[in-house]
Amino acid sequence: MRMVADRLSGDGPLVGRDDERERIAGALTAVPGSGVLLVGRPGVGKSRLAAAALDDHERAGVAVVRLAATPGWREVPFGAVVDLLPGAALGVTDVFREVERRLHTLAAGRPVVVGIDDLHFLDNASAALLERLMIGGAVHVLAGTLDSTIDAPPVALLRRAGALARVEVPPLAFADFRDLVSALLDGPADGLTLDALWRLTLGNPLFVREVLRAGFADATLRRENGMWHWRSEHLGTPGLPEVVGLTVGALTATESSALAYVAYGAPVPLSLLERLVPAEVTEQLEERGLIRLDQSGQRTVVRLGHPLYGEAARARTGALRTRRILRELADALEPETAGAEDRIQVVSWRVEAGLEVDEAELLATATEALRRGGAALALRLAERVPTAAGAWHAGRALVALGRHQEADERLRRGYAEMDVPGDRAQAAALRALNMFWGLRRPDDALRVLDDAGRTLPAGVCHELLSAQAGIAVFCGRGHEALATIATALEQPSQDPLLATAIAPLRPYVMVFAGAPAQVAASFAAGDPALPEVWPTMRAATQTCHVQALVMAGRITEATEAAERYYGDAVAHGSPDGVGLLAMARGICAGERGQVDAASRWIHEALAVTDSATLFPIRVKILAMQAWWAAHQRRFDEGWAAIEEVARLVPDGSDAGDYARLSKAWLLAMSGEPGRAVALLRELTDAFLAGGLMSVGMDALHLWSRLEPSTAVAREARRIADLCDTPLFEWYADYAEALAAPDPLRLEEISQRWEDQRYDLLALEAAVHAARCDPPDGRTASRLARRVERLRQECAGFWPAWLDEPDPAGPLTPREREVAALAAAGLGNPEIAERLVLSVRTVENHLQRAYGKLGIRDRRELAAAIGAPAAPAAGR
């Protein structure tokens, strides 16, 4: 942690500026008197880039002089170049000659580059001196300035003096921003954290560092399961708005008011803002980049030029003025409200301004906000209504936000005290679903549904179907669940959350009943539609699609879908949703042989979820943690995950099915294949008896690999014929080939697995092929090469129940170089920068080194290669 704090207090690494560095190198000393002007917004890293470029030239033998222009010295003649001046007082002409002489001596025949930051602050005398030196060809200049000061007198003077190439320095692209965050934190951040940081900073390196520093200082930025995550709606460090305020610069009172309107109301219709502030003020703010105009439908709206400008504006605004601003915004917008979105905004502003709003309007707006995915706003509005109906609306929002205990009390009150039977039925159903999924109280959930079914009119009891189906799916009643789901789809609930909850249930049941190809086809046809109201259910539906594609043997499509859906879950801001899709990405990566990537995705899923997550989601993530931990032989981690599953799964639920498969895999990988097979026999019978054909086939597949036999292969073929996916046919083919091993047949199967991108299975089949009696030496050699190649592609993975060969040869020089830097404590981005490699290439070199050395991670590198270990503080 000390190392992270040190990194955040400094400038940080330079990432994503290779193109700019090349342009500087090509233009800076191209001809006598040439130079480069770096132009960009405050905080984009002009100074850091200039320093690196000057270092590059210094290492290349160029004489470098570094100057600093500051506001305080702007009125001091020769203030910026005081270190170059002679001690005795001289006239201006003599000063020019003396400085030129000194630079000539310093150069000793080399080019001279003068680096100067904040060129717009340069005093007139220093600017004139540099102009003279450039015209005479004595120096080259590398300077930086703001895009808003490009016409300032010192800048204009030097641009006229020589061939000053303009190099724009934009904010970082997202990939470079991600590398910067990882380098500053010495580790990866989860997708939600990256998204939040990106939305706040838009790739501005100064703002990235300051936001991370703020989160680190108030402990809202934490590392768990090897992954950094930040959960905060507000910036906890007062210094951050001050830093942002310095980049905003001085504002007049009218400009400050205008920026505050945009900060509190963004996006604000341009027509509204023009009624509140003079048009010329809006124009000035736009020209300075503090606001920008966008088109939203038929209207032009005003947004902040940068999200953090709002922090600076709000920090300067007191509570009373804030209330006045919100009231004025609401009064100005209300006459021109064009639809539900405007109405939501007006009601929200009035509530935040402390004004009275009719209770019926509050609840109607809360419902509309919830339907549009605004659960947090729906909660704020509903909590203004003290009645039972207000409690019910608040309970719905709390369920969507994952605050299960608080939701239960609100929904209980709504069911007990409301008068409308349909509303009471919805409250009961949602409470039961929340009790089961969120609070793990199945018996209480069933009692709530039973009471509602007995006491409410039959005409509203269809509202209970979503909850009944949601419980049946995870209690081993698949056939009953499908029937209930079908009825619920014919009589949809009027509650937005209950209607959403049904979306993932049917594809989930069908995937595990042996029809993944049918489910994949239904998604391709647009059924089911992805819900908007409850982000967790949206992500659960998307995960069903990915799982269907994986089980249909379409791993490449599954990988693409998982990546797309993951981005969608991040955009919706749902931790549970991101956890589900991170898990799905891990499954896809692992099937393709990328075991370490699979583990990283699972650890992200763990980092963004916790014990408050809906239990079927958390249990599935933990099962996958155990699965990939077993692949990496991190057995303590795997068994801890299995133990947590046992604590989470309520009595009567079968949500831990995959955890039991993971337990069998842990046994197999930890040297107990006999116990694993015994468990798999038991699981196969239980899964198939319960109609879980896909899970049963997974159990048979693993059984056939640990203990090949004709009987197991025959059963695998029978189940494959009952299901609709080619993947299960391939499982059966593999089981038969293992039961009657033939090297050419196994080689053919290995090639098919590889063609379909199931690389772990391709490796395993190749190993079995190589261990059969080969028909000739050439075949044996070919199979051995195939095994080695696939093992390297799978980052050194080896099935524990097969004898492992010796490490695959010595490290290459590049692998040893990368390994030595990693052992010394450098992160992958730093190694990449030092060796001029991509981060991905560094990761590949490290994984191959791990496989050859027989180790798991960089903590074991120093001992393995005989290099000095990194200092303890850096580990």
Side-chain angles (χ1 to χ4, degrees), residues 215 268 282 586 770 788:
V268 177
T282 305
E788 175 56 27

Side-chain angles (χ1 to χ4, degrees), residues 126-142:
S126 296
L129 173 60
L130 286 178
E131 177 196 25
R132 165 72 178 272
L133 294 171
M134 288 184 70
I135 290 173
V139 299
H140 305 273
V141 171
L142 175 58

Side-chain angles (χ1 to χ4, degrees), residues 62 117 438 528:
V62 173
D117 204 11

Side-chain angles (χ1 to χ4, degrees), residues 350-376:
R350 290 198 173 282
V351 167
E352 291 178 37
L355 302 175
E356 290 297 322
V357 181
D358 178 74
E359 289 185 358
E361 186 173 20
L362 279 171
L363 295 182
T365 305
T367 297
E368 187 60 34
L370 187 62
R371 290 185 187 280
R372 291 169 176 264

